[in-house]
Structure formats: C-alpha cells, structure tokens
Amino acid sequence: MADSDGSDLPSLEDDIFAVAHSVEIEQGAQAQPRLKLQSERAQDLAERTREFVGRDVGALAAGFGIFVLVDALMMWAPLMMSRRQSLAPQFVTLLVLAFGLGGLLVVKVGGRWRAFGLGMMVAWVFLTLVSVGFLTGLSVPL
C-alpha cells in the first residue's frame, strides 16, 4: 500500500504488516547449536562447584575454627571456676566478635573475607546451640 498522495514509498502500515519475501539465515548458525550440550553444562557446574568448595568453604571453615579457638580461650577460665561470676563480659565480647566483626567482613569487605565472617557467625550459633549457651555466655550461670 502506498500513501494516498501517490508516492511509491512504503507507509508505516506496509512496514508493520508486510510479509517478508526472503528470510536471511546466518551461515554459522546451522553449523553449531546455540544451546550448550548437557554434558558441557554439567562440566561447567562441576568446575564452579570445585572452585566454590576450594575457596569459599575453606575460608568459612577458617572463620569457624578461629572463632572456636577464641571462644575456648575466653570461656575456659570462667567455666572451670567453682564459683562462677557473671558471664556478661564474655557474652558481649563474643557477640561483638562474631556478629560485629563478622558482619563487617560480610557487608563492607567482601571477597573471601565474606565467607570468613560468615564462618564466625555460624560458629557462634553452632556453639550456642550445642552447649545450650554455656560456651557463648548466653545462659544464666547455675
């Protein structure tokens, strides 16, 4: 359809509703499929998993271990005394260490330190649950 003024230029209606007379096909598109094969996807996933396990899980375990070591040093003396004093200072210190420093590493620093800070927080929660709060100073002294 041409414009009503008689010119042979195509109108917008012609551009929108016209049927293509020839379809262009890329030469390289027929040679290789655009989607990856399942085995290639599985290999990519395995490589990413190995990279994650080697780097991030190691940093998470290091954060966990460092916090357990610091917790053992801080809580050894108060828990071995026959007459226990308040564990509030140890509780506050361990809480600030795990969630203050650990949260700072996760939010502000990033990188491998993110997993290290997360390991410290996970260690605090783990030790609190396993020891019913005795190892983190959360429980009331008996």
Side-chain angles (χ1 to χ4, degrees):
M1 292 175 93
D3 291 335
S4 60
D5 64 358
S7 67
D8 288 334
L9 297 174
S11 66
L12 181 61
E13 184 178 337
D14 291 335
D15 287 339
I16 293 174
F17 296 110
V19 177
H21 294 288
S22 64
V23 179
E24 295 179 13
I25 299 174
E26 295 178 16
Q27 297 299 328
Q30 294 176 351
Q32 296 176 352
R34 290 186 181 222
L35 298 176
K36 289 184 176 181
L37 298 174
Q38 292 293 342
S39 62
E40 291 177 5
R41 285 185 181 175
Q43 288 175 351
D44 290 343
L45 179 64
E47 288 173 16
R48 283 185 291 178
T49 303
R50 263 186 250 119
E51 183 178 315
F52 172 75
V53 168
R55 183 186 63 191
D56 293 338
V57 173
L60 188 117
F64 190 94
I66 291 294
F67 185 82
V68 168
L69 178 68
V70 169
D71 185 82
L73 293 174
M74 285 186 70
M75 297 303 287
W76 178 263
L79 290 177
M80 291 298 122
M81 294 174 53
S82 61
R83 193 178 127 198
R84 293 192 183 123
Q85 301 295 325
S86 174
L87 295 177
Q90 285 87 356
F91 168 69
V92 170
T93 304
L94 290 171
L95 194 64
V96 167
L97 179 69
F99 292 100
L101 179 61
L104 181 73
L105 291 173
V106 168
V107 174
K108 295 289 183 183
V109 177
R112 287 189 185 169
W113 292 105
R114 176 174 288 157
F116 188 86
L118 190 62
M120 291 172 54
M121 291 187 268
V122 168
W124 188 89
V125 171
F126 175 76
L127 290 173
T128 300
L129 293 175
V130 167
S131 69
V132 195
F134 282 117
L135 292 178
T136 54
L138 189 61
S139 65
V140 179
L142 299 176

